[in-house]
Amino acid sequence: LPAGLSQWFPALEVLDVSGTGLAELGAELLALPRLHTLLAKNNRLGGPGSLPKGLGQAPLGRSLRVLNLSGNRFAEVPPALLGLRGLQSLSLGGNRLHGIPPDIQELRSLEFLYLGGNFITSIPPELANLPSLSYLVLCDNKIQSIPPQLAQLHSLRSLSLHNNLLTYLPREILNLVHLEELSLRGNPLVVRFVRDLTYNPPSLQELAGRTVKTRNVPYAPSDLPENLVRYLSLASNCPNPKCGGVYFDSCVRQIKFVDFCGKYRLPLMHYLCSPECSSPCSSASQSSTSQSESDSEDEASVAARRMQKVLLG
């Protein structure tokens, strides 16, 4: 970038240097106090020194709202970007990213995050700590599972996950009540019920904890050690409506197929307290289900229909 840029254009608000072959963005950008949109797509950025030092503390770091670095050579999300606390839109599609740093949660103002077309294999749970995130694009990666914590993204309206390696979705995704678009095409989503998942028997501590919870044995914090009180608070209810039991660490993972918008059957992961409680699960290939299966699926289907538009095709 030309030296003296801030002197020539002190009121510059939008700068597009896409497709210019740049290998670094110079320090002259730091002194642009009004620049809110920086587009640097399809360049050669990604090596050491690609971004100016002190980005988060400079005037630019406070003013920047939109940053597009797609089509470059970044192998990781540059740490310097995590100091841009006012950033609302970040695009790093078509780079060489292999992961998402947990510190992405520092971008508290982020509303749009585009990370498609990389080599990302997993999603950190910390991504769920972005309260304003409305559009999340993770398509064309190598993601194998979705952390259930993403259900905490209450502002999320669009989630693009097509062309990954997903075989199921967490049941908690039904809690994304404002989601309008969900793209899942091109994933090896399971098409039959998964039966041969392992189950480790509960420990004596878990058996005791289950008894306390299911039989409503009264206790006060002064009656038990602090670690046991904390343990008892971690009990999860078994989703089988005929069971009423709880589990802590030992549970059965099962795939549950849920009708979305009356057209698609979507595999969701859910957890049961024991192999005997597998009745809520159903298969796309099964012709009949038990009453408990129907009750459970109806409940999930109602929640699923809150999603106004599901893009699977």
Side-chain angles (χ1 to χ4, degrees), residues 200-219:
N200 296 318
S203 64
L204 291 177
Q205 175 177 271
E206 174 150 354
L207 288 173
R210 291 187 183 197
T211 300
V212 170
K213 285 295 185 179
T214 56
R215 298 190 179 183
N216 295 317
V217 177
Y219 66 91

Side-chain angles (χ1 to χ4, degrees), residues 18-227:
S18 300
T20 56
L22 287 175
E24 65 178 53
L25 298 175
E28 56 272 13
L29 286 175
L30 300 179
L32 294 171
R34 299 186 183 180
L35 189 68
H36 59 71
T37 299
L38 175 58
L39 310 177
K41 302 178 293 180
N42 304 324
N43 282 300
R44 295 185 291 117
L45 302 170
S50 290
L51 302 180
K53 295 181 179 179
L55 181 58
Q57 294 74 38
L60 176 64
R62 294 187 291 271
S63 65
L64 201 59
R65 297 293 180 266
V66 177
L67 177 60
N68 193 326
L69 296 174
S70 292
N72 280 285
R73 303 176 181 180
F74 289 102
E76 63 177 10
V77 176
L81 300 186
L82 303 178
L84 301 175
R85 304 301 171 85
L87 199 64
Q88 297 174 354
S89 175
L90 174 62
S91 299
L92 279 165
N95 277 274
R96 302 171 182 177
L97 304 180
H98 284 79
I100 306 172
D103 287 343
I104 194 78
Q105 64 183 339
E106 301 299 326
L107 300 178
R108 304 286 291 178
S109 300
L110 207 60
E111 299 176 4
F112 178 92
L113 179 59
Y114 189 104
L115 298 174
N118 283 286
F119 303 96
I120 298 170
T121 57
S122 62
I123 303 172
E126 289 82 1
L127 191 64
N129 296 329
L130 297 175
S132 301
L133 193 64
S134 298
Y135 299 89
L136 177 58
V137 181
L138 295 168
C139 60
D140 300 291
N141 278 288
K142 299 181 181 295
I143 299 169
Q144 301 182 40
S145 63
I146 304 299
Q149 289 86 351
L150 285 196
Q152 301 169 20
L153 291 172
H154 301 302
S155 297
L156 199 64
R157 296 185 177 277
S158 178
L159 177 58
S160 295
L161 294 167
H162 52 271
N163 299 332
N164 275 286
L165 301 175
L166 297 172
T167 56
Y168 67 87
L169 295 178
R171 182 183 181 89
E172 289 81 358
I173 201 170
L174 297 179
N175 295 328
L176 295 174
V177 295
H178 296 296
L179 197 65
E180 298 174 355
E181 296 183 357
L182 175 61
S183 179
L184 292 168
R185 65 183 184 275
N187 280 282
L189 293 171
V190 291
V191 294
R192 62 184 178 84
F193 180 62
V194 179
R195 299 180 182 276
D196 52 354
L197 295 174
T198 60
Y199 172 68
N200 296 318
S203 64
L204 291 177
Q205 175 177 271
E206 174 150 354
L207 288 173
R210 291 187 183 197
T211 300
V212 170
K213 285 295 185 179
T214 56
R215 298 190 179 183
N216 295 317
V217 177
Y219 66 91
S222 58
D223 298 331
L224 300 172
E226 183 180 351
N227 63 316

